[in-house]
mmCIF file of all heavy atoms in Angstrom:
data_model
loop_
_atom_site.group_PDB
_atom_site.id
_atom_site.type_symbol
_atom_site.label_atom_id
_atom_site.label_comp_id
_atom_site.label_asym_id
_atom_site.label_seq_id
_atom_site.Cartn_x
_atom_site.Cartn_y
_atom_site.Cartn_z
ATOM 1 N N SER A 25 -11.281 1.805 13.630
ATOM 2 C CA SER A 25 -11.178 1.234 14.973
ATOM 3 C C SER A 25 -12.203 0.138 15.245
ATOM 4 O O SER A 25 -12.192 -0.463 16.326
ATOM 5 C CB SER A 25 -11.323 2.340 16.025
ATOM 6 O OG SER A 25 -12.585 2.984 15.902
ATOM 7 N N VAL A 26 -13.090 -0.159 14.291
ATOM 8 C CA VAL A 26 -14.100 -1.197 14.543
ATOM 9 C C VAL A 26 -13.418 -2.549 14.698
ATOM 10 O O VAL A 26 -12.437 -2.852 13.998
ATOM 11 C CB VAL A 26 -15.150 -1.256 13.417
ATOM 12 C CG1 VAL A 26 -15.910 0.044 13.326
ATOM 13 C CG2 VAL A 26 -14.500 -1.593 12.089
ATOM 14 N N PRO A 27 -13.881 -3.382 15.624
ATOM 15 C CA PRO A 27 -13.244 -4.693 15.823
ATOM 16 C C PRO A 27 -13.605 -5.667 14.704
ATOM 17 O O PRO A 27 -14.629 -5.517 14.035
ATOM 18 C CB PRO A 27 -13.821 -5.152 17.159
ATOM 19 C CG PRO A 27 -15.150 -4.465 17.272
ATOM 20 C CD PRO A 27 -14.966 -3.130 16.600
ATOM 21 N N VAL A 28 -12.762 -6.638 14.509
ATOM 22 C CA VAL A 28 -12.995 -7.697 13.534
ATOM 23 C C VAL A 28 -12.919 -9.033 14.263
ATOM 24 O O VAL A 28 -11.931 -9.305 14.960
ATOM 25 C CB VAL A 28 -11.951 -7.653 12.400
ATOM 26 C CG1 VAL A 28 -12.101 -8.864 11.480
ATOM 27 C CG2 VAL A 28 -12.092 -6.362 11.606
ATOM 28 N N ASN A 29 -13.949 -9.852 14.115
ATOM 29 C CA ASN A 29 -13.984 -11.156 14.762
ATOM 30 C C ASN A 29 -13.556 -12.253 13.799
ATOM 31 O O ASN A 29 -13.643 -12.093 12.572
ATOM 32 C CB ASN A 29 -15.392 -11.451 15.286
ATOM 33 C CG ASN A 29 -15.839 -10.449 16.332
ATOM 34 O OD1 ASN A 29 -15.083 -10.109 17.242
ATOM 35 N ND2 ASN A 29 -17.066 -9.964 16.200
ATOM 36 N N GLU A 30 -13.096 -13.347 14.353
ATOM 37 C CA GLU A 30 -12.716 -14.488 13.529
ATOM 38 C C GLU A 30 -13.901 -14.914 12.654
ATOM 39 O O GLU A 30 -15.023 -15.067 13.138
ATOM 40 C CB GLU A 30 -12.268 -15.655 14.410
ATOM 41 C CG GLU A 30 -11.821 -16.879 13.646
ATOM 42 C CD GLU A 30 -11.360 -17.994 14.556
ATOM 43 O OE1 GLU A 30 -11.323 -17.788 15.797
ATOM 44 O OE2 GLU A 30 -11.039 -19.082 14.037
ATOM 45 N N GLY A 31 -13.667 -15.061 11.365
ATOM 46 C CA GLY A 31 -14.723 -15.447 10.429
ATOM 47 C C GLY A 31 -15.369 -14.278 9.716
ATOM 48 O O GLY A 31 -16.078 -14.469 8.718
ATOM 49 N N ASP A 32 -15.139 -13.045 10.203
ATOM 50 C CA ASP A 32 -15.684 -11.870 9.520
ATOM 51 C C ASP A 32 -15.043 -11.729 8.142
ATOM 52 O O ASP A 32 -13.882 -12.087 7.938
ATOM 53 C CB ASP A 32 -15.418 -10.597 10.322
ATOM 54 C CG ASP A 32 -16.346 -10.468 11.520
ATOM 55 O OD1 ASP A 32 -17.281 -11.280 11.635
ATOM 56 O OD2 ASP A 32 -16.112 -9.561 12.349
ATOM 57 N N GLU A 33 -15.810 -11.172 7.187
ATOM 58 C CA GLU A 33 -15.286 -10.962 5.842
ATOM 59 C C GLU A 33 -15.221 -9.474 5.531
ATOM 60 O O GLU A 33 -16.206 -8.758 5.674
ATOM 61 C CB GLU A 33 -16.157 -11.661 4.799
ATOM 62 C CG GLU A 33 -15.582 -11.523 3.381
ATOM 63 C CD GLU A 33 -16.432 -12.210 2.328
ATOM 64 O OE1 GLU A 33 -17.505 -11.649 2.001
ATOM 65 O OE2 GLU A 33 -16.033 -13.270 1.853
ATOM 66 N N ALA A 34 -14.048 -9.044 5.133
ATOM 67 C CA ALA A 34 -13.874 -7.654 4.702
ATOM 68 C C ALA A 34 -13.813 -7.609 3.186
ATOM 69 O O ALA A 34 -13.166 -8.439 2.553
ATOM 70 C CB ALA A 34 -12.597 -7.075 5.287
ATOM 71 N N GLU A 35 -14.514 -6.660 2.609
ATOM 72 C CA GLU A 35 -14.468 -6.423 1.170
ATOM 73 C C GLU A 35 -13.911 -5.018 0.953
ATOM 74 O O GLU A 35 -14.488 -4.031 1.407
ATOM 75 C CB GLU A 35 -15.850 -6.554 0.557
ATOM 76 C CG GLU A 35 -15.857 -6.388 -0.956
ATOM 77 C CD GLU A 35 -17.231 -6.598 -1.563
ATOM 78 O OE1 GLU A 35 -18.021 -7.394 -1.005
ATOM 79 O OE2 GLU A 35 -17.527 -5.965 -2.593
ATOM 80 N N VAL A 36 -12.770 -4.938 0.282
ATOM 81 C CA VAL A 36 -12.060 -3.672 0.129
ATOM 82 C C VAL A 36 -11.953 -3.322 -1.350
ATOM 83 O O VAL A 36 -11.559 -4.163 -2.165
ATOM 84 C CB VAL A 36 -10.645 -3.747 0.741
ATOM 85 C CG1 VAL A 36 -9.990 -2.369 0.730
ATOM 86 C CG2 VAL A 36 -10.696 -4.302 2.155
ATOM 87 N N THR A 37 -12.306 -2.099 -1.678
ATOM 88 C CA THR A 37 -12.102 -1.592 -3.032
ATOM 89 C C THR A 37 -10.764 -0.860 -3.067
ATOM 90 O O THR A 37 -10.578 0.135 -2.362
ATOM 91 C CB THR A 37 -13.235 -0.638 -3.438
ATOM 92 O OG1 THR A 37 -14.484 -1.337 -3.370
ATOM 93 C CG2 THR A 37 -13.027 -0.136 -4.856
ATOM 94 N N LEU A 38 -9.833 -1.365 -3.849
ATOM 95 C CA LEU A 38 -8.481 -0.822 -3.894
ATOM 96 C C LEU A 38 -8.324 0.104 -5.096
ATOM 97 O O LEU A 38 -8.526 -0.323 -6.240
ATOM 98 C CB LEU A 38 -7.459 -1.956 -3.972
ATOM 99 C CG LEU A 38 -7.490 -2.957 -2.806
ATOM 100 C CD1 LEU A 38 -6.526 -4.102 -3.088
ATOM 101 C CD2 LEU A 38 -7.131 -2.263 -1.503
ATOM 102 N N PRO A 39 -7.948 1.347 -4.864
ATOM 103 C CA PRO A 39 -7.697 2.273 -5.984
ATOM 104 C C PRO A 39 -6.514 1.781 -6.817
ATOM 105 O O PRO A 39 -5.661 1.032 -6.333
ATOM 106 C CB PRO A 39 -7.375 3.601 -5.287
ATOM 107 C CG PRO A 39 -7.867 3.448 -3.890
ATOM 108 C CD PRO A 39 -7.767 1.987 -3.563
ATOM 109 N N ASP A 40 -6.466 2.200 -8.045
ATOM 110 C CA ASP A 40 -5.322 1.846 -8.888
ATOM 111 C C ASP A 40 -4.040 2.380 -8.258
ATOM 112 O O ASP A 40 -3.993 3.522 -7.782
ATOM 113 C CB ASP A 40 -5.493 2.439 -10.288
ATOM 114 C CG ASP A 40 -6.664 1.816 -11.033
ATOM 115 O OD1 ASP A 40 -6.974 0.650 -10.743
ATOM 116 O OD2 ASP A 40 -7.257 2.504 -11.888
ATOM 117 N N ALA A 41 -3.023 1.537 -8.215
ATOM 118 C CA ALA A 41 -1.768 1.894 -7.568
ATOM 119 C C ALA A 41 -1.052 3.008 -8.326
ATOM 120 O O ALA A 41 -1.071 3.050 -9.555
ATOM 121 C CB ALA A 41 -0.852 0.674 -7.480
ATOM 122 N N VAL A 42 -0.461 3.902 -7.546
ATOM 123 C CA VAL A 42 0.399 4.919 -8.139
ATOM 124 C C VAL A 42 1.789 4.311 -8.295
ATOM 125 O O VAL A 42 2.368 3.815 -7.338
ATOM 126 C CB VAL A 42 0.477 6.177 -7.239
ATOM 127 C CG1 VAL A 42 1.432 7.199 -7.833
ATOM 128 C CG2 VAL A 42 -0.907 6.763 -7.052
ATOM 129 N N LYS A 43 2.316 4.311 -9.479
ATOM 130 C CA LYS A 43 3.604 3.683 -9.736
ATOM 131 C C LYS A 43 4.735 4.667 -9.475
ATOM 132 O O LYS A 43 4.767 5.758 -10.028
ATOM 133 C CB LYS A 43 3.663 3.168 -11.180
ATOM 134 C CG LYS A 43 2.695 2.027 -11.446
ATOM 135 C CD LYS A 43 2.885 1.483 -12.855
ATOM 136 C CE LYS A 43 1.937 0.311 -13.099
ATOM 137 N NZ LYS A 43 2.113 -0.243 -14.464
ATOM 138 N N TYR A 44 5.632 4.230 -8.596
ATOM 139 C CA TYR A 44 6.815 5.024 -8.315
ATOM 140 C C TYR A 44 8.027 4.324 -8.909
ATOM 141 O O TYR A 44 8.107 3.098 -8.925
ATOM 142 C CB TYR A 44 7.016 5.175 -6.804
ATOM 143 C CG TYR A 44 5.934 5.967 -6.121
ATOM 144 C CD1 TYR A 44 4.897 5.321 -5.440
ATOM 145 C CD2 TYR A 44 5.931 7.357 -6.157
ATOM 146 C CE1 TYR A 44 3.897 6.048 -4.816
ATOM 147 C CE2 TYR A 44 4.939 8.088 -5.535
ATOM 148 C CZ TYR A 44 3.926 7.431 -4.862
ATOM 149 O OH TYR A 44 2.932 8.150 -4.254
ATOM 150 N N CYS A 45 8.968 5.084 -9.354
ATOM 151 C CA CYS A 45 10.189 4.526 -9.921
ATOM 152 C C CYS A 45 11.378 5.181 -9.222
ATOM 153 O O CYS A 45 11.464 6.413 -9.175
ATOM 154 C CB CYS A 45 10.242 4.771 -11.428
ATOM 155 S SG CYS A 45 11.692 4.057 -12.213
ATOM 156 N N ALA A 46 12.233 4.356 -8.647
ATOM 157 C CA ALA A 46 13.408 4.897 -7.963
ATOM 158 C C ALA A 46 14.305 5.614 -8.966
ATOM 159 O O ALA A 46 14.519 5.139 -10.078
ATOM 160 C CB ALA A 46 14.165 3.768 -7.275
ATOM 161 N N LYS A 47 14.831 6.765 -8.552
ATOM 162 C CA LYS A 47 15.678 7.569 -9.421
ATOM 163 C C LYS A 47 17.109 7.587 -8.888
ATOM 164 O O LYS A 47 17.330 7.565 -7.679
ATOM 165 C CB LYS A 47 15.136 9.000 -9.498
ATOM 166 C CG LYS A 47 13.741 9.083 -10.099
ATOM 167 C CD LYS A 47 13.240 10.525 -10.111
ATOM 168 C CE LYS A 47 11.829 10.608 -10.703
ATOM 169 N NZ LYS A 47 11.322 12.013 -10.707
ATOM 170 N N PRO A 48 18.087 7.629 -9.772
ATOM 171 C CA PRO A 48 19.488 7.684 -9.339
ATOM 172 C C PRO A 48 19.762 8.965 -8.545
ATOM 173 O O PRO A 48 19.294 10.043 -8.898
ATOM 174 C CB PRO A 48 20.271 7.682 -10.657
ATOM 175 C CG PRO A 48 19.324 7.131 -11.667
ATOM 176 C CD PRO A 48 17.961 7.570 -11.237
ATOM 177 N N GLU A 49 20.529 8.816 -7.450
ATOM 178 C CA GLU A 49 20.941 9.962 -6.648
ATOM 179 C C GLU A 49 22.407 9.797 -6.281
ATOM 180 O O GLU A 49 22.850 8.706 -5.914
ATOM 181 C CB GLU A 49 20.100 10.073 -5.372
ATOM 182 C CG GLU A 49 18.634 10.395 -5.601
ATOM 183 C CD GLU A 49 17.889 10.551 -4.284
ATOM 184 O OE1 GLU A 49 18.299 11.395 -3.454
ATOM 185 O OE2 GLU A 49 16.911 9.811 -4.068
ATOM 186 N N ASP A 50 23.133 10.883 -6.345
ATOM 187 C CA ASP A 50 24.556 10.875 -6.010
ATOM 188 C C ASP A 50 24.713 10.937 -4.494
ATOM 189 O O ASP A 50 24.931 12.008 -3.915
ATOM 190 C CB ASP A 50 25.266 12.047 -6.688
ATOM 191 C CG ASP A 50 26.779 11.987 -6.501
ATOM 192 O OD1 ASP A 50 27.274 10.987 -5.953
ATOM 193 O OD2 ASP A 50 27.465 12.944 -6.912
ATOM 194 N N ILE A 51 24.593 9.769 -3.851
ATOM 195 C CA ILE A 51 24.679 9.663 -2.394
ATOM 196 C C ILE A 51 25.907 8.833 -2.042
ATOM 197 O O ILE A 51 26.120 7.762 -2.616
ATOM 198 C CB ILE A 51 23.420 8.972 -1.819
ATOM 199 C CG1 ILE A 51 22.154 9.709 -2.280
ATOM 200 C CG2 ILE A 51 23.482 8.910 -0.301
ATOM 201 C CD1 ILE A 51 20.885 8.950 -1.961
ATOM 202 N N PRO A 52 26.733 9.288 -1.117
ATOM 203 C CA PRO A 52 27.920 8.512 -0.741
ATOM 204 C C PRO A 52 27.549 7.156 -0.154
ATOM 205 O O PRO A 52 26.739 7.063 0.769
ATOM 206 C CB PRO A 52 28.599 9.392 0.319
ATOM 207 C CG PRO A 52 28.062 10.769 0.096
ATOM 208 C CD PRO A 52 26.661 10.578 -0.397
ATOM 209 N N VAL A 53 28.110 6.098 -0.714
ATOM 210 C CA VAL A 53 27.944 4.757 -0.161
ATOM 211 C C VAL A 53 29.164 3.934 -0.579
ATOM 212 O O VAL A 53 29.662 4.066 -1.707
ATOM 213 C CB VAL A 53 26.635 4.092 -0.653
ATOM 214 C CG1 VAL A 53 26.650 3.860 -2.155
ATOM 215 C CG2 VAL A 53 26.376 2.790 0.081
#
């Protein structure tokens, strides 16, 4: 909830992404 002002710099450490893979499903379409 902390405010961010114009010109402020955020440095974010991003965890390694979890890879998802869509799987086939027998859905009516």
Side-chain angles (χ1 to χ4, degrees):
S25 60
V26 298
V28 173
N29 298 315
E30 181 179 356
D32 284 352
E33 183 180 75
E35 183 177 329
V36 187
T37 301
L38 301 174
D40 294 332
V42 177
K43 294 185 178 180
Y44 294 100
C45 182
K47 298 178 181 179
E49 294 183 57
D50 187 6
I51 305 170
V53 64

